[in-house]
Amino acid sequence: MNPFGNGSLGALNVTSGITYLPLNTKLQYTTVNVGASGTIRPSGTTGSVLYICATESITINGTINTSGIVNYGNNTWGVTIDGENYSSPG
């Protein structure tokens, strides 16, 4: 598995507003740019990992907002993406 992805989704450029992305999906971009007025937010509440990768660069000048989506504290989670298992620490 390539942790940087394959770039199959092309470039993600969020200059303003909110762009919703799915949880528990390996999002494979060439570049990711979130401008100062842009926000990335999960599109649902089912899932545990917002997995964004890029073959070239990721620049975040805006916001990644998971408020109300991800439960903080002692919650545990696990997910398999592309045959790789990920889980909460502990």
Side-chain angles (χ1 to χ4, degrees), residues 21-25 42-51 66 68-71 77-79 81:
L21 300 175
L23 291 168
N24 292 357
T25 302
S43 60
T45 58
T46 302
S48 52
V49 177
L50 183 58
Y51 189 174
T66 60
I69 303 296
V70 176
N71 294 318
W77 55 267
V79 63
I81 301 173

Side-chain angles (χ1 to χ4, degrees), residues 22-82:
L23 291 168
N24 292 357
T25 302
K26 185 177 180 182
L27 302 167
Q28 303 184 69
Y29 299 102
T30 52
T31 59
V32 174
N33 178 50
V34 181
S37 297
T39 298
I40 291 175
R41 184 159 173 80
S43 60
T45 58
T46 302
S48 52
V49 177
L50 183 58
Y51 189 174
I52 302 169
C53 50
T55 56
E56 296 174 29
S57 65
I58 296 177
T59 303
I60 308 292
N61 290 315
T63 303
I64 298 176
N65 182 353
T66 60
S67 177
I69 303 296
V70 176
N71 294 318
Y72 301 100
N74 293 324
N75 295 310
T76 59
W77 55 267
V79 63
T80 301
I81 301 173
D82 287 350

